[in-house]
C-alpha cells in the first residue's frame, strides 16, 4: 500500500464535545479496526496541541475505490452517525493523492483570502458616496488585504463582521449589527440586520448570514462573529440562536464592538436544552 500510486488521503477536523472523549476514543478505535479488517486502508488520529478536544482524523485509503466503498459501508455509516452526536466533523481534504495534499491545503488557504478580499471589495464599492462611510473606508483600506488574518493565522472574522455592519439598514432602531460566518472550507459569509416598516419582517445579521450561506450550498460551519456599536456585547437573539443551532451546531460565537473583542462563547451554552430535528 505504501508504495502504490493509487493511495488516497483524507483529513477531517473533529471537535469533540466536552465530556465525550471516551465515546470518541471508542468510536475511532472501532473505525480504525474496520478500515484494517475490510482493507480500506488505515486511520490515524492526531490531537491538536492547542485545543485538547480537537483532533485531525487522517485516513490513508488503499486506493480511491476503497475510499468510496468505505463511505458506502453501512457499518461505517452507523459509526459516522454516532460520531455526529458527540463531535463536529469538518472535512478538510477529501481523497487526494498524498503528494497532492499540500497543494490542496495551500489552495484552500488561497480560497480563504480570496473570499474575504471579495467581501472587502464589495464593501468599498457600496460605500461610495455614503455620508458616514469615508473615514471608515479609509481606515479599512489602510489595513488592506492583510486584515483577513489575525495573529493566529486565522481569518479576521470580526473585521469582516464590522465591515458587514456598515451595510445594515436599521432605519427604525438605529441599532446596526454585522455578522460574519465561517464555513468548513474557510469561506466567510457576512450578514447585517435589515429592518422593515412592519417591524416584524426585520431580519437579524446572524440569520441573514446563515441563510445566505445555506443558499450558496454551505453546510458546515465553524464560527460566527457578531458586531454592534455598544459597550456591552450583543449576543444573538433567541430566534437566531435556534437557526444557528439547527444549521451550524455548536458554533463558536465571537462578540465584539467596533474597537475590541468582548468575549467568546459556544452556542450550546447560549442555548441549553435545545429543540431540534433529533427530537421530531
Ligand atoms: N439585531 C441583530 O441583527 N442581531 C442581534 O444579535 C440582536 C438584534 C437587530 C434586529 C433589529 O434590527 C435591531 O438589531 C434591534 O433589535
Amino acid at each position: 500500500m505504501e508504495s502504490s500510486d493509487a493511495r488516497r488521503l483524507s483529513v477531517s477536523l473533529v471537535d469533540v464535545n466536552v465530556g465525550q472523549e471516551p465515546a470518541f476514543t471508542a468510536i475511532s478505535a472501532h473505525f480504525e479496526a474496520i478500515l484494517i479488517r475490510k482493507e480500506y486502508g488505515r486511520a490515524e488520529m492526531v490531537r491538536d496541541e492547542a485545543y485538547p478536544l480537537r483532533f485531525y482524523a487522517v485516513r490513508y485509503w488503499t486506493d480511491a475505490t476503497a475510499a468510496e466503498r468505505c463511505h458506502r459501508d453501512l457499518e461505517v455509516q452507523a459509526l459516522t452517525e454516532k460520531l455526529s452526536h458527540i463531535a463536529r466533523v469538518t472535512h478538510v481534504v477529501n481523497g487526494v493523492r498524498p503528494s497532492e495534499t499540500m497543494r490542496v491545503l495551500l489552495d484552500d488557504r488561497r480560497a480563504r483570502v480570496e473570499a474575504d478580499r471579495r467581501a472587502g471589495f464589495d464593501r468599498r464599492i457600496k460605500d461610495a458616496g455614503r455620508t458616514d462611510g469615508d473615514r471608515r473606508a479609509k481606515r479599512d483600506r489602510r489595513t488592506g488585504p492583510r486584515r483577513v488574518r489575525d495573529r493566529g493565522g486565522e481569518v479576521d472574522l470580526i473585521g469582516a463582521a464590522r465591515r458587514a455592519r456598515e451595510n445594515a439598514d436599521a432605519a427604525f432602531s438605529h441599532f446596526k449589527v454585522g455578522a460574519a460566518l465561517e464555513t468548513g472550507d474557510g469561506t466567510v459569509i457576512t450578514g447585517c440586520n435589515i429592518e422593515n416598516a412592519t417591524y416584524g419582517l426585520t431580519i437579524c445579521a446572524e440569520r441573514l448570514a446563515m441563510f445566505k450561506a445555506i443558499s450558496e450550498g454551505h453546510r458546515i460551519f465553524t464560527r460566527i462573529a457578531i458586531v454592534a456599536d455598544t459597550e456591552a456585547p450583543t449576543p444573538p437573539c433567541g430566534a437566531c440562536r435556534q437557526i444557528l443551532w439547527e444549521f451550524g451546531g455548536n458554533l463558536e460565537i465571537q462578540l465584539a464592538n467596533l474597537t475590541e473583542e468582548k468575549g467568546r462563547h459556544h452556542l450550546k451554552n447560549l442555548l441549553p436544552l435545545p429543540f431540534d430535528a433529533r427530537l421530531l
Side-chain angles (χ1 to χ4, degrees):
M1 187 181 102
E2 294 297 336
S3 58
S4 164
D5 264 0
R7 279 181 310 148
R8 292 288 188 281
L9 189 135
S10 299
V11 183
S12 302
L13 196 71
V14 185
D15 285 305
V16 178
N17 296 349
V18 176
Q20 296 290 353
E21 210 182 321
F24 172 65
T25 310
I27 290 174
S28 53
H30 189 170
F31 180 67
E32 278 181 52
I34 296 176
L35 246 60
I36 291 168
R37 175 161 44 89
K38 299 191 177 173
E39 296 184 352
Y40 294 144
R42 65 186 172 86
E44 203 177 313
M45 200 60 73
V46 183
R47 190 195 288 270
D48 189 308
E49 282 183 15
Y51 304 95
L53 286 174
R54 172 167 285 184
F55 296 83
Y56 299 93
V58 187
R59 274 95 65 211
Y60 303 90
W61 306 110
T62 310
D63 53 35
T65 59
E68 277 169 28
R69 276 185 288 122
C70 181
H71 293 315
R72 283 198 306 269
D73 188 312
L74 294 181
E75 202 182 352
V76 170
Q77 285 177 13
L79 272 185
T80 310
E81 156 75 9
K82 265 193 192 169
L83 182 64
S84 72
H85 294 289
I86 61 152
R88 281 189 66 73
V89 181
T90 308
H91 300 290
V92 182
V93 172
N94 267 333
V96 300
R97 285 176 200 278
S99 57
E100 288 178 331
T101 312
M102 218 47 209
R103 182 186 57 72
V104 173
L105 288 170
L106 287 171
D107 279 356
D108 178 52
R109 205 164 293 156
R110 268 200 297 279
R112 285 173 177 232
V113 173
E114 285 302 325
D116 207 83
R117 207 178 274 153
R118 241 187 346 261
F121 182 67
D122 286 351
R123 177 194 55 72
R124 284 197 291 274
I125 299 248
K126 289 197 199 97
D127 270 350
R130 278 174 70 109
T131 49
D132 63 346
D134 285 352
R135 194 171 50 84
R136 266 199 296 263
K138 259 189 208 119
R139 190 183 62 211
D140 278 347
R141 238 195 321 268
R142 200 172 55 233
T143 39
R146 255 160 294 153
R147 69 177 177 268
V148 297
R149 282 182 183 278
D150 54 28
R151 281 184 309 282
E154 290 183 331
V155 168
D156 177 11
L157 212 56
I158 290 175
R162 285 187 185 128
R163 291 193 294 282
R165 181 186 164 277
E166 292 171 18
N167 293 326
D169 194 322
F172 303 99
S173 72
H174 305 292
F175 190 81
K176 292 180 164 195
V177 184
L181 176 66
E182 186 185 55
T183 72
D185 66 9
T187 306
V188 174
I189 310 246
T190 60
C192 59
N193 55 329
I194 302 178
E195 299 188 346
N196 183 271
T198 64
Y199 292 18
L201 291 181
T202 291
I203 185 151
C204 296
E206 302 89 318
R207 250 176 303 156
L208 187 55
M210 180 55 88
F211 289 155
K212 277 172 67 182
I214 295 291
S215 76
E216 288 169 21
H218 297 283
R219 289 294 182 274
I220 297 167
F221 305 98
T222 50
R223 306 181 293 159
I224 186 167
I226 305 166
V227 167
D229 186 9
T230 50
E231 188 47 38
T234 298
C237 76
C240 286
R241 290 179 199 202
Q242 180 69 25
I243 295 295
L244 293 176
W245 175 262
E246 284 197 47
F247 292 106
N250 190 25
L251 288 175
E252 181 183 89
I253 307 217
Q254 302 181 352
L255 304 177
N257 63 20
L258 302 192
T259 51
E260 56 183 343
E261 187 177 327
K262 288 286 178 179
R264 292 185 185 203
H265 305 268
H266 273 98
L267 184 54
K268 67 175 187 181
N269 299 326
L270 302 188
L271 190 67
L273 204 62
F275 172 79
D276 58 39
R278 287 176 299 184
L279 300 174
L280 288 175

